[in-house]
Amino acid sequence: QVHVVESGGGSVQAGGSLRLSCAASGYTAAIFCMGWFRQAPGKERERVALFFTRGGSTDYADSVKGRFAVSQDNAKNTLYLQMNNLKPEDTGMYYCAAEYFGDYCVGNFRDFRYRGQGTQVTVSS
């Protein structure tokens, strides 16, 4: 079992930055991948970043490439999402999720076994 909790959301003006945190607890050694997802009002949830714990490789949605970056603090069992040059279209609820099995890492948010409750990000123009 893994429990993930997001934090760090808030309100920021366009061009600003935020860093989200995803603290994992439980049997974290078995986590194969972790993902950051977001859902804007009236839109479907989308994956913005994917992180593979073995090797540290990442994958980003085209809409955030060059602006968002994932990093990990192994000592704290925490995954971060650094978001720079934020745009109003980045507004939404941001979720973290963890998965043990690689086959599910390419799936949607609900395909991940362990999912957080989300943290709100609001970017004003």
Side-chain angles (χ1 to χ4, degrees), residues 4-9 18-24 34 36 71 77-83 94-96 118-119:
V4 294
V5 179
E6 307 93 335
S7 62
L18 283 174
R19 189 179 76 161
L20 305 183
S21 299
C22 174
M34 297 184 72
W36 282 102
S71 62
N77 286 326
T78 300
L79 188 73
Y80 301 101
L81 182 66
Q82 178 67 44
M83 305 185 297
Y94 282 70
Y95 301 88
C96 175
T119 184

Side-chain angles (χ1 to χ4, degrees), residues 14-70:
S17 299
L18 283 174
R19 189 179 76 161
L20 305 183
S21 299
C22 174
S25 59
Y27 190 38
T28 58
I31 295 175
F32 189 89
C33 66
M34 297 184 72
W36 282 102
F37 298 80
R38 69 183 179 190
Q39 187 168 22
K43 294 187 177 181
E44 292 188 359
R45 189 153 25 204
E46 63 173 341
R47 190 181 73 204
V48 296
L50 185 63
F51 176 83
F52 292 90
T53 59
R54 293 164 178 78
S57 60
T58 56
D59 183 65
Y60 298 96
D62 288 342
S63 59
V64 306
K65 281 180 181 177
R67 301 188 298 121
F68 290 14
V70 173

Side-chain angles (χ1 to χ4, degrees), residues 56-116:
S57 60
T58 56
D59 183 65
Y60 298 96
D62 288 342
S63 59
V64 306
K65 281 180 181 177
R67 301 188 298 121
F68 290 14
V70 173
S71 62
Q72 185 185 37
D73 185 332
N74 288 325
K76 296 181 179 179
N77 286 326
T78 300
L79 188 73
Y80 301 101
L81 182 66
Q82 178 67 44
M83 305 185 297
N84 299 325
N85 190 23
L86 283 161
K87 304 175 180 180
E89 51 264 42
D90 293 318
T91 293
M93 186 70 77
Y94 282 70
Y95 301 88
C96 175
E99 175 54 53
Y100 284 161
F101 298 102
D103 287 349
Y104 296 103
C105 293
V106 296
N108 298 319
F109 178 68
R110 294 207 174 276
D111 292 325
F112 281 64
R113 188 180 304 264
Y114 305 107
R115 305 183 295 269

